[in-house]
């Protein structure tokens, strides 16, 4: 009986010591890790202020390749939510919600020194008020680096069992931060190094449009004159074909970029028409969307779309390897566009269009919008042509609408949700002379190599 009593006393003493130990333990936990990333703060901020790229950089997929993610709430900023489900008992189900982001995205520019984003966490880790804080600080001589401090905070309250969990805060929470932070750096490495902070892109739902087009290419070293000559030649061919077919051209010229290489720029010069049914050789032909050729039938890279249009072996009235209707000479007909596209506005010369296109690509990557330049080519449309005087000097810049077809995207960009408006020609400074660089879309710097085609 005495031994039983001694055992009970010892058990009470251990329990009391355990309670005392829990009482003196911290009522909260904190762990943080830092990493300097070679990207502008705006790009890092955008990736972290939405969850569409989280599956690509979080450690969750590394722990369970079959983990399932679901998005809800807003697409971007405070109120955005993501949840995950898994059959891995150790990983467990959970979710994150963006609680706050300061300053707001449209206030981050080259002068912004710091920013902070808070994610609320809901999972089976012990504690209350669990959240991640992601502090961003601009670094580097030119401010092109961003230090990310990713911290985890939790409150244990007076739950004594939860307080013991602080002993293991350097387990799952710490590893989640460290691995995700390293993966974040890898994801951002694939984003083009370009400042898009002055871009105000919109998501636009485009409709399938019948077009007549001519595929062509130039050497980039030949400059803007080569682009203009190629466009003029193709326009003449398209207009002649339209007249012969008895259809009307209903809009401005469209340039569909098929290959923007270091030396060669290949593109389709297209014009919208008012009929999706054409009569060729006495046969009624219904236009369809172009499709990429199969790998077995694909031509070498140097003989891509531009060369395909001039294939003399394809008979008029038949379909080329892209499924486009073959017309006279180099002219083809098909349905273009259809579906969501990320749209940016450029006010200036054509030399700024490729830069705007690169901005859209970087923006799409940081916001988690998917695009495939082979399946759905980027394109630009002249909304307002430039004006020249009798001496050939530009007196008013052109307005270009630049499109990047996207998938897996929300209905609106954050800029659309906020009601921000793209720049207009009225906001653009008039050219000082014909040799002046293109005016920026907003206040973005104009391309330094404006004299070179598309550089």
């Amino acid at each position: 009986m005495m031994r039983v009593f001694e055992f009970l006393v010892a058990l009470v003493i251990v329990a009391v010591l355990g309670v005392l130990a829990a009482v003196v333990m911290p009522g909260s936990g904190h762990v943080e890790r830092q990493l300097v990333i070679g990207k502008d703060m705006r790009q890092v901020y955008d990736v972290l202020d939405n969850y569409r790229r989280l599956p690509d950089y979080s450690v969750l997929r590394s722990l369970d390749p079959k983990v399932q993610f679901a998005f809800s709430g807003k697409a971007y900023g405070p109120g955005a939510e993501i949840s995950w489900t898994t059959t891995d008992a150790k990983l467990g189900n959970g979710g994150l919600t963006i609680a706050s982001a300061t300053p707001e995205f449209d206030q981050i520019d080259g002068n912004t020194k710091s920013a902070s984003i808070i994610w609320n966490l809901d999972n089976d880790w012990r504690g209350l008020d669990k959240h991640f804080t992601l502090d961003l600080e601009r670094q580097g001589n030119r401010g092109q680096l961003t230090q990310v401090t990713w911290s985890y905070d939790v409150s244990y309250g007076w739950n004594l069992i939860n307080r013991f969990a602080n002993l293991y805060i350097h387990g799952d929470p710490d590893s989640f931060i460290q691995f995700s932070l390293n993966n974040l750096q890898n994801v951002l490495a694939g984003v083009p190094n370009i400042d898009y902070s002055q871009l105000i892109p919109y998501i636009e739902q485009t409709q399938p449009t019948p077009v007549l087009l001519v595929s062509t290419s130039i050497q980039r070293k030949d400059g803007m004159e080569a682009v203009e000559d190629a466009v003029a030649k193709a326009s003449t061919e398209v207009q002649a074909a339209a007249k012969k077919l008895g259809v009307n051209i209903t809009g401005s010229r469209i340039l569909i970029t098929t290959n923007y290489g270091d030396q060669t720029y290949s593109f389709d010069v297209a014009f919208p028409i008012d009929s999706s049914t054409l009569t060729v050789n006495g046969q009624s032909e219904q236009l369809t969307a172009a499709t990429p050729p199969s790998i077995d039938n694909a031509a070498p890279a140097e003989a891509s779309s531009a060369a395909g249009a001039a294939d003399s072996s394809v008979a008029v009235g038949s379909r080329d390897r892209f499924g486009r209707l073959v017309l006279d000479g180099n002219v083809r007909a098909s349905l273009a566009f259809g579906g969501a596209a990320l749209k940016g506005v450029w006010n200036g010369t054509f030399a700024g269009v490729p830069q705007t296109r690169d901005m859209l690509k970087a923006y799409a990557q940081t916001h988690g919008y998917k695009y495939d330049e082979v399946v759905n080519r980027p394109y630009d449309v002249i909304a307002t042509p430039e004006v020249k005087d009798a001496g050939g000097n530009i007196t008013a810049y052109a307005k270009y609408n630049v499109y990047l077809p996207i998938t897996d995207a929300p209905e609106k960009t954050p800029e659309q949700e906020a009601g921000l408006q793209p720049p207009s020609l009225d906001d653009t400074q008039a050219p000082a002379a014909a040799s002046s660089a293109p005016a920026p879309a907003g206040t973005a710097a104009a391309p330094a190599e404006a004299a070179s085609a598309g550089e």
Side-chain angles (χ1 to χ4, degrees), residues 59-94:
V59 71
L60 300 173
R61 185 157 281 166
S62 299
L63 298 175
D64 179 12
K66 297 182 180 180
V67 63
Q68 299 294 314
F69 294 94
F71 302 102
S72 57
K74 295 180 61 178
Y76 183 96
E81 300 177 5
I82 188 174
S83 60
W84 60 88
T85 55
T86 175
T87 57
D88 188 328
K90 181 180 178 180
L91 176 59
N93 301 334

